[in-house]
Amino acid sequence: WSQSLSGVPRVYALEFAGASWLPLAASASGNGISSNALAADQPAFAYHGGSLFAAWRQSIREGTSESEIYAARFNGSAWTEAGPGAASASGISSTGGTSSQPRLASSGGALHLAWVEDLLTSGVGTRSTIYAKRWDGSSFAEVFQHSGDVAGGVTATGDGLRSFALAATASG
């Protein structure tokens, strides 16, 4: 979930452990999973390979609409970046645009992360698109050339994309 701490949205998590809801490390207090000083919201969660993954929208510059998609993985004792730079600087999306609505889907041995990139709002481009990456065991990588960068995307939608859903087949 996302809620404000001193007026700044943060991402938090609890896991149901058979009889009660428990925090994973410091995931339900303080800054939660999102340790950046700026706003973090729109969390998504999925289990993959026995680990819990989280992705969220992270503001990257105060006073602007610029945001990136960050991701972390719970390793059994702490939340760590889901790959180099996944929860710092430009994060997973690394587009310089306005990233939002992260979605995670796990099935068939694959973990997918997709999000909406609004290039028009940030002045980087003239459209909105859905970008996607897949967990390769150590980081989120493009599923196919340009599936997760400014040069392409999964689909070009024009502007005004409201929402989307993500699902993975049994074969991943």
Side-chain angles (χ1 to χ4, degrees), residues 22-41:
L22 301 173
L24 301 170
S27 65
S29 61
N31 289 329
I33 298 169
S34 51
S35 58
N36 189 299
L38 300 176
D41 61 5

Side-chain angles (χ1 to χ4, degrees), residues 46-160:
Y47 281 96
H48 177 71
S51 294
L52 181 59
F53 286 77
W56 65 92
R57 177 177 68 171
Q58 178 67 57
S59 293
I60 60 167
R61 264 184 209 80
E62 194 167 0
T64 73
S65 65
E66 291 178 67
S67 58
E68 299 288 0
I69 302 303
Y70 278 21
R73 178 183 187 182
F74 187 69
N75 67 12
S77 60
W79 287 95
T80 61
E81 289 187 296
S88 60
S90 296
I92 299 287
S93 49
S94 191
T95 61
T98 302
S99 305
S100 66
Q101 302 183 47
R103 304 289 188 262
L104 288 166
S106 178
S107 185
L111 175 64
H112 298 271
L113 169 62
W115 68 92
V116 173
E117 192 66 36
D118 186 347
L119 302 172
L120 182 62
T121 299
S122 64
V124 176
T126 60
R127 60 188 167 86
S128 295
T129 190
I130 297 171
Y131 287 169
K133 292 188 177 184
R134 180 174 46 214
W135 179 250
D136 67 9
S138 60
S139 66
F140 282 95
E142 291 186 354
V143 179
F144 54 86
Q145 186 176 13
H146 303 303
S147 67
D149 65 31
V150 175
V154 175
T155 181
T157 63
D159 62 359

